[in-house]
Amino acid sequence: MHRFPRSTPSLVAVPVALLLLAGCSSSSEPDAADAHGGDPGSVWSYTGDEGPSHWGALTSEYGTCSSGEEQSPIDLPAPKRGAALDLQASGPVEGITADNGHTVQFTAADGARTRIGGDDLHLVQLHFHAGSEHTVEGEAADAEFHFVHADEDGALTVVGVLADRGAHNPAYDSFVAGATAGAGRESTVDLDAMLPEARSHYRYDGSLTTPPCSEGVRWIVLEDRIELGADQLADLEAAHVENVRPVQPLGDRTVDYSLA
């Protein structure tokens, strides 16, 4: 049974510096920092002795990966099809797409603004996981995209979008092209066009899904999924596949539905 608590979780600021590649230049050498943050000098993986079950022991900075009580991703309940997400994007955003070793990440240039639920945020970056990290009633999607936003204090809101194999999606062409470029590539993303038309959603308190697994992240996962063409998914999976952290215990947390 999922209860419905406050509409806006309390946030703990997570340094935005953890999220960025080395600037937004056209450099062909992407920083080794991972998709959600982390120490470029550390080594972690999605498999073997450096995989998710071992992250907390790799270094003291990653201890939250094993000791945290509000970790992400989680298994989500059946959709409720409630009210739409109140999101207003500033329009197409330019930036650099590059492979950072764990995913392909679009890093937005300065000035990418988004208003979510009345909060003024800026889009920091976008990256993907193949398949999805969040599951719904135990079932994973073919991919998941994370649109990472920060407020002026550095507190994070991540909008998660699940994707299934289906029709070609031109809104993702620029990002996918960056995934296949083999080096940093100038890209443009249109957040509004990349989200599903229906925007009922889940909200919960969570964490980064990669080391250091910092908590205090507001998660908004849209219930409806987008479709990507088989060719688009193949291009993404050629770069990274199964770059997925397993679902984490919900514990004492609650999932808030966007009920009208």
Side-chain angles (χ1 to χ4, degrees):
M1 176 68 68
H2 293 270
R3 295 168 285 142
F4 311 109
R6 62 193 184 282
S7 60
T8 302
S10 61
L11 298 178
V12 177
V14 179
V16 175
L18 291 177
L19 304 173
L20 297 174
L21 297 173
C24 289
S25 69
S26 59
S27 169
S28 62
E29 294 296 329
D31 193 289
D34 65 87
H36 273 158
D39 177 4
S42 66
V43 177
W44 60 270
S45 175
Y46 285 104
T47 60
D49 292 340
E50 295 159 350
S53 63
H54 302 283
W55 286 350
L58 293 178
T59 174
S60 59
E61 286 79 5
Y62 295 173
T64 303
C65 296
S66 57
S67 65
E69 296 182 353
E70 294 189 344
Q71 291 289 289
S72 297
I74 61 172
D75 182 49
L76 297 164
K80 296 291 186 182
R81 309 299 180 198
L85 177 65
D86 177 17
L87 182 147
Q88 299 174 351
S90 59
V93 175
E94 296 182 350
I96 298 295
T97 300
D99 192 323
N100 63 25
H102 300 293
T103 186
V104 174
Q105 176 174 305
F106 168 83
T107 302
D110 292 342
R113 308 300 300 181
T114 306
R115 189 172 180 84
I116 299 178
D119 297 329
D120 288 320
L121 309 172
H122 62 273
L123 177 66
V124 180
Q125 51 109 320
L126 155 67
H127 63 270
F128 83 96
H129 298 270
S132 70
E133 294 200 301
H134 289 90
T135 58
V136 179
E137 295 191 301
E139 296 294 326
D142 291 317
E144 181 172 349
F145 294 87
H146 292 162
F147 297 82
V148 183
H149 298 80
D151 68 13
E152 61 182 9
D153 296 320
L156 301 182
T157 295
V158 182
V159 177
V161 177
L162 305 182
D164 287 330
R165 191 180 310 272
H168 185 91
N169 192 331
Y172 280 79
D173 280 343
S174 182
F175 178 80
V176 173
T180 63
R185 180 184 187 277
E186 293 183 2
S187 303
T188 301
V189 303
D190 186 337
L191 175 60
D192 195 58
M194 296 172 85
L195 300 184
E197 183 175 351
R199 296 177 185 174
S200 57
H201 54 284
Y202 310 93
R203 292 188 298 267
Y204 77 96
D205 292 337
S207 73
L208 307 181
T209 67
T210 59
C213 308
S214 305
E215 297 183 342
V217 177
R218 175 173 63 173
W219 275 94
I220 299 172
V221 182
L222 298 184
E223 291 183 325
D224 276 28
R225 303 180 181 189
I226 62 165
E227 290 186 355
L228 291 178
D231 58 330
Q232 293 175 302
L233 278 171
D235 284 343
L236 293 175
E237 291 169 352
H240 292 280
V241 69
E242 297 182 0
N243 56 339
V244 172
R245 186 189 193 190
V247 295
Q248 304 297 301
L250 183 63
D252 293 333
R253 290 176 288 175
T254 58
V255 175
D256 182 14
Y257 302 98
S258 59
L259 297 180

